[in-house]
């Protein structure tokens, strides 16, 4: 599959969702939104489980042994969580959204302009700061498929309907942000795919799968896991894999 297709699909779903939301207005029942979100949460669990099974990859076990893969993923999550929480990544992302909204959504004297800008800022942050954005785009570039981005596209399209019903066409403008951010991350994944060995990529995929479990739990409203605080685990996974290879 050609890298970048997932981002293209995501852009299209945001545009279609925003258009439909503008047409529907506030007619979409809250219960319907919740049911669809629950279904997408269950699908996220399925994709997460498939990705996490990379911990049993032959490429990884051949390089580090049968016992080390679990320790690599565990170490990556622990170190990543410590670093992410100390850096307060989750709260910083939320703070960035508040800062941008206050800077760009000031009193312009025009209700429509304010509504457009607020819709653009809020949905740009929603669509581009989540773990699925990073994990999905990197995996797409790494050649692991675009399933995660397809899931994100479905989530974003549905969210765009709801937001556009309130904010109008500013939501559609966030498709440009999606294109720039996810396109850049996909290109980064392409570069990493040429550098990282298969064992390191397997460790990265398994760690990312567990982060997706956190995303699923949030979608299902089971627990609000601060997944952004765990994102540094994606950096530690290949590093710990290299250390395990050296010690094996």
């Amino acid at each position: 599959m050609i890298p970048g297709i997932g981002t293209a699909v995501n852009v299209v779903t945001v545009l279609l969702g925003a258009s439909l939301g503008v047409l529907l207005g506030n007619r979409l029942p809250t219960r319907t939104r919740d049911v669809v979100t629950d279904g997408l949460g269950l699908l996220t669990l399925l994709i997460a489980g498939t990705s996490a099974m990379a911990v049993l990859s032959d490429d990884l076990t051949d390089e580090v042994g049968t016992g080390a893969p679990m320790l690599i993923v565990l170490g990556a999550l622990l170190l990543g969580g410590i670093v992410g929480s100390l850096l307060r990544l989750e709260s910083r992302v939320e703070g960035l959204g508040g800062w941008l909204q206050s800077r760009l959504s000031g009193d312009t004297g025009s209700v429509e302009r304010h509504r457009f800008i607020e819709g653009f800022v809020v949905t740009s942050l929603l669509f581009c700061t989540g773990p699925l954005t990073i994990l999905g785009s990197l995996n797409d570039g790494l050649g692991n498929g675009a399933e995660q981005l397809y899931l994100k596209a479905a989530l974003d399209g549905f969210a765009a309907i709801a937001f556009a019903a309130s904010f109008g066409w500013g939501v559609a403008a966030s498709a440009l942000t999606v294109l720039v951010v996810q396109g850049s991350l996909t290109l980064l994944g392409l570069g990493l795919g040429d550098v990282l060995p298969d064992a390191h990529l397997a460790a990265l995929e398994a760690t990312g799968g567990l982060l997706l479990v956190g995303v699923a739990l949030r979608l299902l409203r089971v627990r609000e896991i601060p997944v952004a605080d765990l994102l540094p685990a994606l950096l530690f996974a290949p590093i710990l894999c290299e250390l395990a290879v050296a010690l094996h």
Side-chain angles (χ1 to χ4, degrees):
M1 184 174 293
I2 302 173
I5 295 296
T7 293
V9 171
N10 202 165
V11 169
V12 170
T13 57
V14 169
L15 292 174
L16 290 177
S19 301
L20 186 58
V22 171
L23 294 175
L24 288 177
N26 295 315
R27 297 185 183 91
L28 198 64
T30 301
R31 183 175 181 277
T32 301
R33 303 175 196 172
D34 290 342
V35 169
V36 173
T37 301
D38 288 342
L40 292 171
L42 293 174
L43 179 60
T44 304
L45 274 179
L46 177 61
I47 296 175
T50 302
S51 298
M53 288 301 291
V55 74
L56 302 177
S57 165
D58 291 336
D59 293 323
L60 185 57
T61 55
D62 288 345
E63 291 290 337
V64 301
T66 56
M70 294 290 184
L71 295 177
I72 291 173
V73 175
L74 174 62
L77 289 173
L78 291 177
L79 292 174
I82 291 172
V83 172
S85 62
L86 289 176
L87 293 176
R88 299 172 60 236
L89 294 182
E90 186 87 8
S91 60
R92 288 180 188 277
V93 168
E94 295 174 355
L96 176 62
W99 180 80
L100 286 175
Q101 188 170 354
S102 65
R103 295 286 293 180
L104 298 178
S105 301
D107 186 8
T108 62
S110 170
V111 174
E112 285 302 315
R113 176 177 171 80
H114 182 280
R115 185 165 168 258
F116 181 95
I117 293 176
E118 186 170 9
F120 169 72
V121 172
V122 169
T123 52
S124 290
L125 291 168
L126 175 67
F127 298 157
C128 296
T129 57
L132 276 176
T133 301
I134 298 173
L135 296 175
S137 299
L138 285 176
N139 275 322
D140 190 15
L142 289 169
N144 294 330
E147 288 80 7
Q148 293 172 5
L149 285 186
Y150 293 150
L151 171 63
K152 180 180 180 294
L155 288 168
D156 291 354
F158 192 75
I161 296 175
F163 278 101
S166 300
F167 294 111
W169 290 111
V171 176
S174 65
L176 178 61
T177 310
V178 172
L179 178 63
V180 172
V181 173
Q182 291 186 186
S184 300
L185 288 172
T186 299
L187 290 176
L188 176 61
L190 279 170
L192 290 176
D194 292 333
V195 174
L196 292 179
D198 291 338
H200 297 61
L201 293 176
L204 180 62
E205 183 180 0
T207 304
L210 289 182
L211 295 188
L212 283 178
V213 173
V215 175
L217 294 179
R218 294 183 70 154
L219 288 173
L220 294 170
R221 297 178 293 279
V222 175
R223 180 178 173 81
E224 289 292 319
I225 295 177
V227 181
D229 282 344
L230 292 169
L231 285 175
L234 297 175
L235 298 176
F236 283 107
I239 294 174
L240 292 178
C241 184
E242 177 62 27
L243 180 61
V245 169
L247 294 176
H248 181 57

